[in-house]
Amino acid sequence: MEDNQAQTGKVALKYGVILGVIGIVFNLMLYYQDLHYQLDLKRIFFTIGLSLVFIVVGSFIGIQEFKTKNDGYLKFKEGMKIGVGMSLIAGIIGIAFSFVLAKIIDPEMEQKAIEYATEMMLDSGMDPVEIDKQMESQKNSNVYWQVAGGLVFNLIIGFVGSIIPALILKKDKPAY
């Protein structure tokens, strides 16, 4: 049993790093197009959907690899461990890169995001005083809450994205 747990961890690590690198490439593409700070509802939903697709595909490939190495058998729990672990590792890599992007590569990113959000709120007809209050609260956001929120988000996406591949590929060893 210990051998299987080590293998799930290795597979989760391998595909988590791959997904983390894909996320970095995606964020660099946004950066080079100067879109990395522009968060609106459409982009948020697109990013969540794209993340879910990557997690499902990565989970499917990773779980299939584990199943092949495990003589064709896979417990649902093992599939979920791979998917959620992979998502957690990719999330840690993504969060670390986000800090590098915001603090080193583009230190003006926060100010750009605030200006973009202010412009969007003004365009929607919001009161300037209310906008100032909201922007001030964004400037004082806690880094620890941001990291925790990012990790929880990745765990939820990993859980949801690995359910289907784990169910499809599940094959228990015969009891005899």
Side-chain angles (χ1 to χ4, degrees):
M1 189 67 182
E2 287 298 316
D3 188 36
N4 285 346
Q5 288 177 342
Q7 287 181 359
T8 59
K10 287 179 184 177
V11 172
L13 178 63
K14 176 182 175 181
Y15 288 97
V17 169
I18 290 170
L19 283 180
V21 170
I22 290 171
I24 289 172
V25 169
F26 180 72
N27 281 317
L28 284 173
M29 287 181 355
L30 290 176
Y31 170 73
Y32 286 119
Q33 294 176 356
D34 203 30
L35 299 171
H36 61 292
Y37 59 87
Q38 299 180 7
L39 293 176
D40 55 35
L41 207 52
K42 186 171 66 174
R43 284 192 180 103
I44 290 171
F45 282 131
F46 176 75
T47 303
I48 290 171
L50 193 61
S51 297
L52 196 54
V53 167
F54 281 135
I55 292 296
V56 169
V57 171
S59 292
F60 197 85
I61 295 168
I63 291 169
Q64 184 64 43
E65 179 180 313
F66 174 81
K67 184 177 176 181
T68 302
K69 289 180 179 180
N70 199 32
D71 298 326
Y73 297 110
L74 172 83
K75 294 178 185 173
F76 176 74
K77 181 174 82 170
E78 293 168 331
M80 292 301 293
K81 280 183 187 178
I82 292 168
V84 172
M86 178 182 71
S87 180
L88 180 64
I89 291 164
I92 291 169
I93 292 169
I95 289 168
F97 179 74
S98 293
F99 280 108
V100 170
L101 179 64
K103 302 297 180 193
I104 298 170
I105 298 173
D106 187 9
E108 297 170 2
M109 185 172 127
E110 184 180 348
Q111 186 58 38
K112 289 178 188 177
I114 289 171
E115 289 170 8
Y116 178 77
T118 302
E119 185 180 311
M120 295 281 292
M121 288 183 220
L122 283 171
D123 289 346
S124 71
M126 223 171 144
D127 180 39
V129 174
E130 194 63 34
I131 293 172
D132 288 340
K133 284 182 189 176
Q134 217 166 359
M135 289 300 107
E136 199 57 42
S137 70
Q138 289 298 319
K139 285 182 184 177
N140 299 325
S141 60
N142 188 332
V143 172
Y144 297 112
W145 282 110
Q146 291 175 345
V147 170
L151 290 177
V152 168
F153 172 77
N154 275 290
L155 288 172
I156 291 169
I157 290 288
F159 181 79
V160 170
S162 59
I163 289 174
I164 293 173
L167 283 173
I168 291 172
L169 296 173
K170 177 181 83 113
K171 183 178 179 189
D172 292 325
K173 290 182 182 178
Y176 53 91

